[in-house]
Amino acid sequence: MGRFIAGADRTQTTLFPLCMDDWIDEENPVRAVDVFVDALDLGDLGFEGVAPASTGRPSYHPSVMLKLYIYGYLNRVQSSRRLEREAGRNIELMWLVGRLAPDHKTIADFRRDNGAAIKRVCSRFVLLCREMGLLAGRSVAIDGSKFKAVNNRDRNFTKAKLQRRRQQIEESVARYLSQLDTADLQEPTEGMAAKTERLKEKIARLGDEMRRLDALETQMLSSPDQQISLTDPDARSMSSSGRGTGVVGYNVQVAVDTDHHIIVTHEVTNVGTDRAQLSGMATKAKAVLGVEQLDVVADRGYFSSEQILASEQAGVTVTLPKPLTSQAKAAGRYGKQDFVYIPDQDTYRCPAGETLTYRYTNVEAGLTVSRYWTSACPRCPLKARCTPAPERRVTRWEHEHILEAMQQRLDANPNAMRVRRQTVEHPFGTLKARMGASHFLMKTKRHVSTEMALHVLAYNLTRALSILGTRKILTAIAT
């Protein structure tokens, strides 16, 4: 038996009347899905057909299943049970899959077992977009957003959550014990006895919960990040943009073309911050676009000296603002940006006009940095506005010139952050609207990545159809 199941039907369009092909004309997006999938070499992409099950479920060719899923994600129908229903009543979908009607278990198994191949299909469509001229630019915006996992907040545990839960239990136990003491002082009645019994049952249940939390703490402390999720083991608690809010889910990274808002590449991570994602995403986007030099714009959450250096070394020019974390500036004193570096002399000039000379170099947190200061600080009239220490010391990283050049680019293009926001927030808003309130339906990072690839493929296909129309896409696929 080959990779595809023998006897699996690719299409059964002969079951339709001839007028059906006229109704699904070349302007219908369904045509693009049909032609795109038929043009793929599914065996080369690693697809496997759905084998007959022991329960009697029939086999299906992977092209049928892939068309079913692409159509579903294009039309906000991601559930396998809903796709099963649509395959039996939606005329467009009936035409697309040749009136085949796989059951929900067969549909779900295909998505679960062909994750890597589905990701390759998503990448293949991005390459098609490049061939159609939709990715002719050399600029992308990178950002990340939090997506909900199939894991309730109450089934995710961190040190802080366990501590809060224990405190709540202790307060409840103390309240119930106080009520028991009060009941002991009153006349014994049948109602009072029933109330006392209920209070004792509540205290016993809280004791069981305490023991459960102790077991969860042992499991949590053994995990690398000291966090566990009981429903989706790969989901993690992450802070979101709203103060005091958070989500148990995944951090999805995307690189979006600034011209046509096509998602060039994406990655699903369970790391709550973006700081370590810049160079990896930029390098992937550069490889997909096939350019020698790439311009990347991102927000301040990606600021990392090591990541910016790695990006520059890979041929990526990064533009992003530096976070204002200076304690001196927060206290109303001069910040490092108020000191001017003079490259020819390797010195700094302070706001008072004094020269800060080089003193020594050492390694801090893995970075090679140099120190500069002047002996004139004790006599300086601006010292109170500069530093409470005996002298103001300025630190310079060995690759500081890269950060300075990045700041100059940002100063020269003040609209860069607006372009970033207009570019990368658009796909995230569209994707979350299509996903609905629950976002992901599958569990574990591997399967969530498959789901995200289908969402990105549907989004890119929608963008291409909106920009070029169905006929041009059909022509591009044919050539």
Side-chain angles (χ1 to χ4, degrees), residues 455-466:
H455 280 294
V456 170
L457 173 59
Y459 169 83
N460 283 341
L461 181 56
T462 303
R463 288 294 301 162
L465 289 168
S466 177

Side-chain angles (χ1 to χ4, degrees), residues 237-254:
S237 179
M238 303 175 182
S239 60
S240 58
S241 57
R243 179 171 295 179
T245 63
V247 63
V248 178
Y250 295 88
N251 184 6
V252 178
Q253 301 287 316
V254 297

